[in-house]
Amino acid sequence: MAADPPFDLAVVGAGIVGLGCALAAARRGKRVVVMDRDAQANGASVRNFGFVTVTGQERGEMWRRALRTRDVWAEVAAEAQIPILHRGLLLTARRPESVAVLEAFLRTEMGAGCRLLDADEVLRDHSAASTPELLAALWSPHELRVESREAIPRLAAWLEARHGVTFRRGTAVLSVETSKVVTTRGVVEAEAVAVCPGDDLFSLFPDRVATYGVTRCKLQMLRLADPGYRLSAGVMSDLGLARYAGYAALPEAGALRTRLQAEQPDHLRHGVHLIVVQSADGTLVVGDSHHYAPTPDPFADEAVDGLILDEFRAVLGPGAPRVVERWTGTYASAPDRPVVVDTPASGVRLAMVTTGAGASTGFALGEEVVTDLFGGARS
Ligand SMILES: Cc1cc2nc3c(=O)[nH]c(=O)nc-3n(C[C@H](O)[C@H](O)[C@H](O)COP(=O)(O)OP(=O)(O)OC[C@H]3O[C@@H](n4cnc5c(N)ncnc54)[C@H](O)[C@@H]3O)c2cc1C
């Protein structure tokens, strides 16, 4: 009789989606190995804002995934010594059309726990985001923010130490079949395999990836010097209402889009909207833009950074601090679905978040994939 495979689950990719699968399986007592070609996390999962957003996620499954993922982040952060740097979201509105979208949002089930603040309340409780143009702001208590470049390595170290997950880094996976993973460092056997390649569209199961029309999206990101104030929450603006599906799919968003098209056409053309979050040292992570291509160029356009900073000044006042760091990141993007889960072979799942929401949904997706592979109830 053949020996049992040494692992129950092999995971390809040590980004947040792969780590989410590893956690869900480890919590069931499964023996897990995670393989990644890079020596340390280097993909979207460490280039993002670390902004775990619930409010604004696409209504239905994505919104529920985000609620669940936020809860898992809170549990894991406490155990893995990952600081939660701030909680909540302040979405500022400086146009009546934006206020109409926020009011409509609050009438949906997704508005539970959220509130519309008037300009005086913003001045009192969130003074950094108070400008003469401000009409109102949505306050959401649901979000939390971690410093991804520290949180992802800590999460992996904790999975290794606390849950006995095996990590094989510097290990490129060349092919995957049922129960068998061929890598640049030999063959790994496992009962089940979760392939979580992020935005690598071409190495594993390229034909399956192509079926879903997946391409890549490039984002430009900035870090600004400590402005001297402390944000009470992550900050977004009118542009986010036209971009994030939880708001943008509401009928009221049509009038806002028309107005933004007239007033900020360059922002819309470059997919610029505003997210501002703050780090422990006071610096601000600010972004972003969206440009789509199967292989996006690696260059950060100064004019696009200028558009991001224009919106920053419109929301947080004219004195934008100096830029101390710039980077680009890429994520997988599909035209018609936020998530791809595919079965390229028996006992194998290909799992990709195909919109910019993996930090906010990865743990829930990991639970879904593990339930799909091993059966039973979700963790
Ligand atoms: C700039 C930016 C800002 C963002 N902001 C947010 C945000 O604030 N909130 C939010 O929720 N989401 C955000 N996102 C989206 C989020 O970061 C992604 O959805 C998420 O990180 C994707 O995780 P992943 O594990 O699928 O991919 P990745 O983090 O890219 O990890 C995939 C891993 O797979 C490995 N890999 C691939 N193929 C192989 C192979 N054949 N062999 C071995 N290893 C392989 C890669 O080396 C990589 O480490 C942002 C993304 C970007 C780029």
Side-chain angles (χ1 to χ4, degrees):
M1 203 168 76
D4 281 336
F7 293 104
D8 300 310
L9 179 69
V11 178
V12 182
I16 188 62
V17 176
L19 297 182
C21 292
L23 175 62
R27 280 179 160 179
R28 288 169 171 238
K30 303 291 183 193
R31 293 160 300 170
V32 182
V33 58
V34 178
M35 290 154 283
D36 201 294
R37 65 181 159 220
D38 279 320
Q40 65 198 42
N42 191 42
S45 299
V46 291
R47 297 177 188 225
N48 60 29
F49 295 91
F51 195 27
V52 179
T53 51
V54 173
T55 294
Q57 296 295 348
E58 186 177 329
R59 199 170 189 171
E61 197 56 25
M62 281 300 268
W63 183 71
R64 280 190 289 278
R65 283 185 181 121
L67 279 169
R68 173 66 189 152
T69 296
R70 187 273 323 269
D71 289 347
V72 177
W73 267 115
E75 293 161 17
V76 164
E79 286 196 41
Q81 322 264 301
I82 297 170
I84 292 176
L85 297 169
H86 48 71
R87 291 175 189 270
L89 160 70
L90 187 76
L91 195 153
T92 61
R94 46 186 207 278
R95 297 174 177 87
E97 292 85 349
S98 302
V99 178
V101 176
L102 294 178
E103 287 171 342
F105 175 82
L106 287 169
R107 289 193 292 271
T108 72
E109 72 287 358
M110 301 180 290
C114 301
R115 258 179 5 104
L116 195 64
L117 308 181
D118 64 26
D120 289 339
E121 289 173 298
V122 174
L123 176 62
R124 190 190 66 208
D125 297 337
H126 310 277
S127 56
S130 174
T131 60
E133 293 72 33
L134 182 88
L135 297 181
L138 178 78
W139 165 253
S140 162
H142 301 305
E143 285 60 36
L144 54 82
R145 199 241 155 189
V146 298
E147 191 73 62
S148 292
R149 60 182 72 177
E150 293 163 10
I152 295 294
R154 283 192 191 186
L155 176 58
W158 173 78
L159 283 168
E160 194 166 18
R162 166 77 178 76
H163 287 289
V165 172
T166 300
F167 280 84
R168 294 196 179 157
R169 300 200 182 266
T171 302
V173 173
L174 305 174
S175 69
V176 175
E177 298 165 24
T178 303
S179 304
K180 185 176 164 193
V181 178
V182 179
T183 83
T184 45
R185 295 189 167 186
V187 173
V188 172
E189 291 184 2
E191 181 190 336
V193 186
V195 179
C196 310
D199 65 339
D200 183 325
L201 315 182
F202 304 117
S203 299
L204 298 169
F205 307 115
D207 295 345
R208 296 307 308 155
V209 173
T211 306
Y212 298 98
V214 181
T215 189
R216 294 167 75 201
C217 178
K218 176 183 93 170
L219 294 79
Q220 291 185 203
M221 301 282 284
L222 305 164
R223 185 179 289 274
L224 307 189
D226 181 353
Y229 53 72
R230 291 294 171 265
L231 292 181
S232 49
V235 174
M236 295 176 64
S237 75
D238 307 51
L239 289 167
L241 294 173
R243 183 154 195 105
Y244 267 59
Y247 320 109
L250 298 169
E252 289 77 2
L256 173 62
R257 207 170 290 113
T258 303
R259 182 155 177 190
L260 290 173
Q261 195 60 58
E263 294 179 354
Q264 295 188 283
D266 292 341
H267 289 81
L268 292 197
R269 193 157 53 84
H270 291 285
V272 169
H273 76 137
L274 187 73
I275 295 179
V276 185
V277 292
Q278 196 157 33
S279 294
D281 64 359
T283 58
L284 301 174
V285 178
V286 181
D288 51 20
S289 55
H290 296 80
H291 295 98
Y292 298 86
T295 302
D297 71 53
F299 309 114
D301 181 347
E302 188 64 21
V304 170
D305 283 354
L307 292 171
I308 296 170
L309 289 170
D310 278 352
E311 187 69 1
F312 177 93
R313 290 187 200 95
V315 173
L316 288 155
R322 75 194 158 83
V323 177
V324 295
E325 192 175 51
R326 297 173 199 264
W327 68 98
T328 63
T330 53
Y331 61 68
S333 172
D336 58 356
R337 68 194 72 214
V339 157
V340 166
V341 178
D342 190 83
T343 304
S346 164
V348 180
R349 296 294 180 278
L350 170 67
M352 306 168 92
V353 176
T354 47
T355 187
S360 308
T361 56
F363 285 128
L365 181 61
E367 291 177 352
E368 291 168 33
V369 168
V370 165
T371 298
D372 199 20
L373 283 167
F374 293 102
R378 285 184 198 170
S379 320

